[in-house]
């Protein structure tokens, strides 16, 4: 069998081991330590905009803490982008609230500000004003965040920004993850940089990040004994994982360049194919191109997304459909949904292609040959 080509694999930069070794040499094998502090500073410098950062065990933990810090409780409702990974919506259930799913718009595939406002007005009319809004920058593509913020401010609803896939993406130079009252990042193994597993909570309000750190270390009160006045969580990043993150931060800009270059190669190779469409950056938007995605209109192309996916799979090349919308997931059956079918069409016709920054020319040749063969046979 030919070697596996992964869709998005970890890519080490060379210095990660030095930071991890320093943790071993100093016996900082603990949830906190110098690497955690250093990683947080590195992220703050990269994000700029006077942000503070708390390094956590996952992006999901960040979303959970974000909802807790925004005061979302059992019985509340939260506006949530429907087309996303389940980790965006699951924390809403963790706090006992209910998601109100909103469809995408076609320009960025992210939450539609127009439909979002319609959902807010309808929920208010029903006596259930949403307590928070969770937009997502899908596949690294910035959402229409300024329009989203305008609607959110109009109805005085805080924004919890899911930037798990968009580290390095920006809108008019401002980094994704810094627009909401709270933002979150992910450093899972398949992200643009990784800490193996991990995430971060971001805010321009330093007191919010201070509270996040407190809650994420079991909410231990100041006392010589273990005393707790509120429920806490074991959500802090380990000093070892943060060491990996510090090394990864040194190559983040390069990784973004590499991912964008891979996108350009797909675009140049397949944009001329009938029925094939790629997602373009909107005015002022800069996309990290975490994953290269492609839409295939079967009526125009004569083939479907599945024809391409299965052909790649046969050659031991990983790809997958776009995220299945949350309002179609069995676990969220019965939840409110506002939309006109955009996300469903994207799911039916879209595919995520191998996008690892460590893809070699030979790997891309294999991928392109398989895809060309499917299109040529149509």
């Amino acid at each position: 069998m030919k070697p596996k080509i992964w869709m998005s694999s970890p890519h080490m930069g060379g210095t990660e081991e030095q930071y991890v070794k320093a943790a071993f040499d100093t016996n900082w094998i603990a949830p906190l330590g110098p690497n955690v502090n250093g990683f947080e500073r590195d992220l703050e410098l990269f994000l700029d905009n006077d942000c503070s950062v708390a390094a956590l065990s996952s992006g999901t933990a960040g979303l959970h803490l974000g909802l807790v810090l925004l005061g979302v409780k059992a019985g509340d409702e939260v506006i949530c982008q429907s087309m996303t990974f389940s980790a965006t919506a699951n924390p809403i259930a963790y706090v006992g609230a209910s998601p109100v799913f909103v469809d995408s718009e076609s320009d960025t595939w992210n939450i539609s500000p127009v439909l979002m406002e319609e959902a807010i007005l309808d929920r208010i009319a029903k006596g259930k004003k949403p307590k928070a809004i969770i937009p997502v920058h899908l596949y690294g593509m910035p959402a229409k965040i300024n329009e989203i913020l305008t609607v959110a401010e109009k109805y005085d609803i805080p924004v919890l920004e899911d930037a798990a896939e968009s580290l390095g993406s920006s809108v008019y130079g401002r980094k994704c993850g810094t627009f909401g009252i709270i933002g979150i990042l992910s450093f899972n193994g398949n992200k643009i940089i990784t800490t193996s597993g991990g995430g971060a909570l971001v805010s321009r309000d330093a007191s919010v990040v201070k509270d996040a750190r407190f809650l994420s270390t079991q909410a231990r009160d100041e006392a010589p004994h273990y005393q707790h006045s509120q429920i806490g969580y074991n959500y802090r990043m380990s000093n070892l994982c943060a060491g990996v993150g510090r090394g990864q931060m040194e190559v983040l800009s390069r990784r973004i360049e590499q991912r964008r270059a891979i996108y350009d190669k797909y675009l140049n190779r397949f944009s001329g194919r009938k029925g094939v469409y790629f997602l373009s950056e909107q005015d002022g938007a800069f996309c990290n191109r975490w994953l290269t995605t492609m839409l295939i209109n079967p009526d125009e192309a004569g083939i479907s997304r599945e024809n391409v996916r299965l052909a790649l799979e046969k050659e031991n090349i990983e790809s997958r459909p776009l995220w299945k919308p949350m309002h179609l997931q069995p676990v969220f059956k019965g939840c409110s949904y506002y939309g006109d079918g955009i996300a469903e069409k994207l799911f039916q016709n879209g595919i995520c292609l191998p996008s690892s920054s460590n893809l070699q020319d030979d790997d891309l040749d294999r991928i392109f040959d398989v895809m060309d063969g499917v299109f040529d046979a149509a």
Side-chain angles (χ1 to χ4, degrees):
M1 181 178 287
K2 295 178 181 177
K4 179 83 170 185
I5 296 179
W6 298 97
M7 190 168 60
S8 185
S9 65
H11 188 182
M12 295 295 99
T15 62
E16 295 87 356
E17 192 172 354
Q18 297 173 23
Y19 290 103
V20 174
K21 184 176 184 300
F24 275 96
D25 290 345
T26 56
N27 203 35
W28 277 103
I29 313 300
L32 297 173
N35 280 335
V36 174
N37 297 335
F39 186 44
E40 289 175 342
R41 286 196 299 271
D42 294 341
L43 286 166
E44 288 166 355
L45 288 170
F46 180 80
L47 294 171
D48 200 10
N49 206 45
D50 297 323
C51 285
S52 295
V53 173
L56 304 172
S57 57
S58 69
T60 308
L63 286 166
H64 184 196
L65 286 178
L67 290 170
V68 172
L69 290 165
L70 292 175
V72 179
K73 295 181 173 61
D76 289 339
E77 291 187 346
V78 175
I79 297 285
C80 183
Q81 183 166 314
S82 182
M83 191 173 187
T84 185
F85 179 47
S86 61
T88 304
N90 285 342
I92 300 172
Y94 297 170
V95 297
S98 298
V100 174
F101 294 117
V102 175
D103 204 355
S104 300
E105 38 78 11
S106 57
D107 292 335
T108 72
W109 302 355
N110 295 307
I111 193 168
S112 164
V114 174
L115 291 172
M116 188 181 83
E117 184 167 20
E118 290 180 11
I120 291 169
L121 287 170
D122 190 56
R123 302 320 295 172
I124 290 174
K126 290 177 167 61
K128 294 288 290 185
K129 179 182 175 180
K131 291 296 181 71
I133 298 167
I134 307 180
V136 185
H137 305 291
L138 205 63
Y139 304 119
M141 181 61 69
K144 294 185 175 180
I145 193 66
N146 289 320
E147 295 176 35
I148 292 165
L149 290 173
T150 296
V151 175
E153 290 167 5
K154 182 177 179 180
Y155 298 99
D156 192 27
I157 303 173
V159 169
L160 174 53
E161 184 186 1
D162 186 342
E165 302 172 1
S166 59
L167 180 62
S169 298
S170 60
V171 179
Y172 291 108
R174 182 170 170 179
K175 297 290 199 304
C176 291
T178 70
F179 288 90
I181 291 178
I182 297 170
I184 70 98
L185 304 169
S186 174
F187 310 112
N188 192 34
N190 65 351
K191 294 300 187 292
I192 198 158
I193 63 167
T194 185
T195 58
S196 177
L201 183 144
V202 180
S203 181
R204 285 165 290 137
D205 186 340
S207 66
V208 169
V209 173
K210 181 180 178 182
D211 290 343
R213 289 172 177 158
F214 172 71
L215 290 175
S216 66
T217 48
Q218 301 289 18
R220 181 185 175 185
D221 296 335
E222 288 190 22
H225 52 277
Y226 283 88
Q227 179 163 307
H228 307 270
S229 301
Q230 59 190 110
I231 297 296
Y233 309 91
N234 186 17
Y235 279 169
R236 274 300 237 160
M237 181 179 286
S238 82
N239 198 51
L240 290 176
C241 289
V244 176
R246 295 204 71 187
Q248 289 275 278
M249 287 299 295
E250 294 180 4
V251 294
L252 173 55
S253 295
R254 177 61 180 150
R255 296 294 176 261
I256 294 170
E257 292 175 3
Q258 291 167 320
R259 298 260 179 169
R260 286 176 62 85
I262 288 166
Y263 165 81
D264 287 340
K265 290 177 181 179
Y266 279 110
L267 181 70
N268 293 334
R269 184 70 170 244
F270 297 104
S271 61
R273 291 282 188 176
K274 191 174 181 180
V276 170
Y277 301 93
F278 290 88
L279 189 59
S280 301
E281 292 165 324
Q282 300 298 295
D283 289 345
F286 176 87
C287 180
N288 67 8
R289 298 295 180 185
W290 169 56
L291 291 184
T292 292
T293 56
M294 185 173 74
L295 292 181
I296 302 172
N297 185 324
D299 295 331
E300 298 175 13
I303 60 168
S304 70
R305 178 265 332 265
E306 277 299 276
N307 294 129
V308 174
R309 188 187 69 80
L310 291 172
L312 290 170
E313 183 179 74
K314 186 177 179 181
E315 294 299 318
N316 207 25
I317 300 170
E318 184 184 24
S319 66
R320 70 169 180 232
L322 301 187
W323 298 123
K324 183 176 181 178
M326 291 297 102
H327 72 277
L328 299 180
Q329 298 287 352
V331 71
F332 292 117
K333 184 178 180 180
C335 290
S336 299
Y337 167 68
Y338 296 81
D340 52 16
I342 293 291
E344 293 177 36
K345 291 177 183 177
L346 292 171
F347 170 60
Q348 290 168 1
N349 296 332
I351 186 170
C352 299
L353 298 165
S355 307
S356 302
S357 52
N358 53 11
L359 283 176
Q360 302 299 307
D361 288 341
D362 288 349
D363 298 323
L364 288 168
D365 287 342
R366 272 182 63 193
I367 296 164
F368 292 169
D369 286 347
V370 172
M371 293 175 64
D372 279 333
V374 177
F375 283 110
D376 290 341

